[in-house]
Amino acid sequence: MLTVSQVLLTVHDHDEALSFYRDLLGFAVTQDVSYEGMRWVTVTPPGSDVHVVLETPRSWPDASPADREAAGDLLAKGLMSRLIFTTDDVDALHDRLSAGGAEITSEPVDQQYGVRDFGVRDPSGNQLRFNQPLATAASWA
């Protein structure tokens, strides 16, 4: 067996990211540890075993200052990370995120590839998509 256990998501600021992922999306904070000037924060979507590690470019121990700055520039443009989540009610999630002030980048729409989905940018600019398989869609497995 081989599974994905953690994915890394670059964010500008841990506390700002926690407000979005924990407070708006309902993710559980599974770790929030400070060590030698760095902070390790992981959140987990409800019903998932995959942990999302929220890291800032400042926390990359082997990156040069120039690399950290370049990463920060890409993050500001929304070109750093993208994640796709699956939910059982994409329209309800859209309504909740919209009411909570999230930046909606695309409204829910039925896609030709078998899902209904919409897009959001998190406070750091990361592109997120939320989808729900359509009842008539063929299995992706």
Side-chain angles (χ1 to χ4, degrees):
M1 180 173 88
L2 187 62
T3 62
V4 175
S5 62
Q6 298 180 346
V7 295
L8 304 173
L9 185 66
T10 305
V11 298
H12 290 302
D13 178 86
H14 288 114
D15 293 321
E16 181 182 61
L18 283 172
S19 292
F20 181 80
Y21 288 97
R22 179 194 57 213
D23 302 340
L24 192 55
L25 280 170
F27 288 21
V29 177
T30 49
Q31 290 183 311
D32 189 347
V33 179
S34 295
Y35 177 73
E36 294 187 359
M38 294 185 289
R39 188 174 174 192
W40 180 265
V41 178
T42 62
V43 293
T44 306
S48 175
D49 293 329
V50 177
H51 301 273
V52 178
V53 179
L54 304 174
E55 63 173 3
T56 66
R58 295 182 306 275
S59 64
W60 299 354
D62 299 324
S64 70
D67 289 342
R68 290 181 184 140
E69 183 177 334
D73 291 344
L74 290 173
L75 181 62
K77 295 176 183 177
L79 300 174
M80 196 66 183
S81 303
R82 289 177 278 176
L83 292 177
I84 300 172
F85 299 92
T86 298
T87 180
D88 56 358
D89 191 341
V90 76
D91 291 299
L93 182 58
H94 167 271
D95 292 348
R96 189 173 87 214
L97 294 179
S98 183
E103 180 184 349
I104 306 295
T105 58
S106 64
E107 296 295 323
V109 63
D110 292 350
Q111 302 287 358
Q112 293 179 338
Y113 43 88
V115 299
R116 180 170 178 76
D117 73 349
F118 71 97
V120 172
R121 284 173 48 111
D122 77 4
S124 294
N126 294 302
Q127 301 285 331
L128 309 176
R129 293 208 68 81
F130 297 92
N131 71 41
Q132 176 181 0
L134 294 171
T136 58
S139 173
W140 288 45

